[in-house]
Amino acid sequence: ADGGGEGGGGGGAGTGGAADSGEGGGEGKETMKENAKEAFEKDLAEMKKFIVQDNEDVDPDVHRTARTAIIEACKVALEHVQESIRNNKLHDPFKGLTDVWEGPLPSLLAAIVNKPDACLVTLKERVKRCLDAYEFAGNAAAIQEEVTTWIAADVKAFETYLTKTLLEDNPGAQDGKPLDIADIARRGIVEAFDEACNAWNEDGDFDEFVGQWEGPFPKGLSALADAVKEGDVGMMGYALVREKLELYRNAYYAALNP
């Protein structure tokens, strides 16, 4: 959360003061997200290097293990600063963190830990924001990996559909000009996500969109729509679905425009 913290200690070295809203006290939520996306690959490489060193039994999915470890480092740091707040440890709030976390710290977290120049409540907000940002970056990376495995089949499905509907069933559609089926297919995939986003924003579900959409569903969109249909999406879930829609849309766009 980016709201204000509890008063106390004049907002200086004590545990009180206004929590960091991103104005003059560290990055705001969206800025932190962008910074985490930019730093993620380098942080991931450092974590993978740490995991595989002197380790003969390396997890074959070390990429996922490293991604999880980055998130875990942020969670450990957050627990540490929360403990400092409970015990009123005003000085060196991250002392002992390296005793409980032996791996490298993600770069954005390290910047906070190495220069804890704020009240404890503000530090907690910064670390929480850092955790949220790395979780977002990790989700984006995981979704991009999924889309990479799906994209060829999704494009093929759209091309097959377009070949039938635009050429076989409607031979006059070309109007003397050859149609770029591959380009239309790529644009159709992105359009499917744009339409789904609009439907989610307006209706809070995909029912009308699913009934009206003509054409195949990209695998990522189909999986998300099925998950929503089978589950109970609460108030917080709506924002998460919207975020996943945007992540899938951006991942498909990146895969289609390398």
Side-chain angles (χ1 to χ4, degrees):
D2 294 338
E6 296 178 1
T15 61
D20 178 14
S21 64
E23 298 179 3
E27 300 93 336
K29 182 177 180 180
E30 293 305 316
T31 301
M32 185 74 85
K33 276 186 177 182
E34 289 302 314
N35 290 343
K37 285 172 64 178
E38 293 177 4
F40 192 77
E41 287 304 316
K42 183 178 179 181
D43 289 331
L44 192 67
E46 288 295 318
M47 192 64 75
K48 286 165 66 176
K49 182 179 178 180
F50 171 77
I51 292 172
V52 301
Q53 67 180 3
D54 302 325
N55 189 352
E56 296 180 357
D57 300 319
V58 178
D59 186 337
D61 196 358
V62 66
H63 196 76
R64 177 177 296 184
T65 302
R67 196 165 59 225
T68 302
I70 288 174
I71 306 303
E72 186 62 25
C74 295
K75 290 180 178 179
V76 170
L78 181 59
E79 291 172 0
H80 203 78
V81 75
Q82 288 172 331
E83 183 67 19
S84 293
I85 291 174
R86 286 192 292 268
N87 295 324
N88 203 30
K89 294 180 180 178
L90 308 184
H91 302 289
D92 200 2
F94 293 108
K95 182 179 181 180
L97 177 60
T98 54
D99 294 336
V100 293
W101 182 259
E102 298 179 354
L105 294 177
S107 56
L108 301 187
L109 177 61
I112 298 172
V113 171
N114 294 334
K115 193 178 180 182
D117 56 349
C119 68
L120 289 179
V121 171
T122 298
L123 283 175
K124 185 187 78 169
E125 293 299 326
R126 288 184 187 174
V127 175
K128 177 62 169 64
R129 193 174 298 141
C130 183
L131 169 61
D132 291 344
Y134 272 115
E135 285 183 330
F136 178 83
N139 286 337
I143 285 174
Q144 191 69 65
E145 291 172 14
E146 286 182 324
V147 170
T148 299
T149 66
W150 296 336
I151 192 67
D154 283 333
V155 170
K156 181 65 176 177
F158 266 82
E159 288 178 342
T160 300
Y161 168 78
L162 291 168
T163 297
K164 177 173 176 55
T165 57
L166 293 183
L167 300 182
E168 295 178 9
D169 294 349
N170 189 11
Q174 296 186 72
D175 194 24
K177 299 179 181 179
L179 293 176
D180 188 342
I181 294 296
D183 180 64
I184 298 173
R186 289 192 295 270
R187 288 189 283 115
I189 289 173
V190 175
E191 182 184 350
F193 281 98
D194 289 340
E195 292 295 325
C197 283
N198 291 336
W200 187 256
N201 289 337
E202 294 176 4
D203 305 326
D205 59 48
F206 297 120
D207 294 348
E208 186 173 351
F209 164 70
V210 170
Q212 294 181 350
W213 177 253
E214 295 181 0
F217 288 93
K219 290 184 183 297
L221 180 54
S222 179
L224 186 56
D226 288 345
V228 169
K229 186 175 181 179
E230 295 172 2
D232 181 19
V233 181
M235 186 173 294
M236 292 302 294
Y238 284 100
L240 293 176
V241 171
R242 169 67 185 180
E243 182 175 280
K244 274 213 163 189
L245 272 171
E246 292 183 351
L247 287 173
Y248 271 117
R249 192 262 186 205
N250 293 340
Y252 271 97
Y253 185 85
L256 292 166
N257 299 276

